[in-house]
Amino acid sequence: MNPTIGWIRGLAESWGVPTALVPLVPFLLLLIVLYAVIGLAAYGARRKWPRADKTIAFWLFVSPWLIGFCLFTVGPMVSSLYVSLTSWDLITPPKFVGLANYTEAFQDPRVGQALKVTLLYAVISVPLQAVLAFLVALLLNTELPGMRFFRTVWYLPSLVSGVAQMVLFLWVFNPQYGLANDVLGKVGIDGPGWFNDPSWALPTVILMSLWTVGGAMVIYLAGLKDVPTNLYEAAALDGAGPVRIFWHVTLPQLSPIILFNALTGIIGALQIFTQGFVANGGPKDSLLFFVYYLYDNAFQNFRMGYASALAWILFVVILALTLVTARGSAFAVYYESDLSGRRKRRTR
């Protein structure tokens, strides 16, 4: 424990603070100091710039988020970057080893397997989820009796937690008494081993991911409701059929939402963990997802330095794929303001 924190805790105990609240005292004291500094800075800024009241109010209102972001996001990230340069078993003090963890990661064959499995899952599952969610949203974007019930039914599976979902599908895809093979057997098909088969384990997880497209479906549905009806009316007056209306009106209007769902889907897919954890990496590391391998090194093998290096490698991979996707979408995503700006520049 840090000596300063220990001293503050001892002082709090001597003042009669309840034992359950003692660990919170250093944190509360830090918040008081931070807000005192912010208040003094705001007071000084107001005396120097009397007309800056709105700016000062803005920073005061966002200060809770900024403090939380610095303490619980930036702080741990900087700490993990330092830990990635050390050898630390969570018990003995960390030893600085430089870039040795990163060098080992690039030579570790299981890191390559984890990246392969995770990227394959992301490349296949994200487009499938996007297409299915979009098609379901189109079907549910009709005003028919009972449509609200079906929208709710499609969304409900998204509320099931990852562990409960995995346990459910372990039963559904059980090769001996599972529901999937039972249904296939009734039509004369010999079902595969699913999670027990190395060649079927990853496709099974991809198939399982389609069960929770309700979240993306709701976003697509909201976007469809927001498409101006005058665009559809104008296209119909010009003689456009359903296919041309979909291709030239619906898709361009929903392209920002498609990009949003694609980016969030990629980021979420690259951080998949629960399925690999419950399946213990799958047979022959067929479900050795990157985050699960990171967790295994950190909390099973007690190699926190190596796990932190893996976390930063994953961060770079996610950042690179996100930037590539965002840059590549510049020619496919329709923004009305940007388009009008391009037209103005061309006419000049």
Side-chain angles (χ1 to χ4, degrees), residues 1-13 22-27 29-30:
M1 183 188 297
N2 186 288
T4 304
I5 296 177
W7 177 77
I8 294 173
R9 286 188 174 186
L11 189 63
E13 290 174 352
V22 168
L24 296 176
V25 172
F27 176 70
L29 185 61
L30 176 62

Side-chain angles (χ1 to χ4, degrees), residues 136-155:
V136 172
L138 288 174
L139 289 173
L140 297 180
N141 190 36
T142 54
E143 299 301 330
L144 295 175
M147 194 54 64
R148 292 183 180 180
F149 169 77
F150 289 107
R151 291 170 185 168
T152 304
V153 168
W154 271 97
Y155 180 72

Side-chain angles (χ1 to χ4, degrees), residues 275-312:
Q275 289 81 348
F277 175 75
V278 175
N280 199 24
K284 298 182 180 179
D285 286 343
S286 56
L287 294 179
L288 184 68
F289 296 113
F290 200 92
V291 176
Y292 169 68
Y293 186 53
L294 185 159
Y295 166 87
D296 191 58
N297 276 281
F299 301 107
Q300 300 296 324
N301 300 329
F302 298 102
R303 301 188 63 196
M304 187 59 72
Y306 187 56
S308 297
L310 293 178
W312 277 96

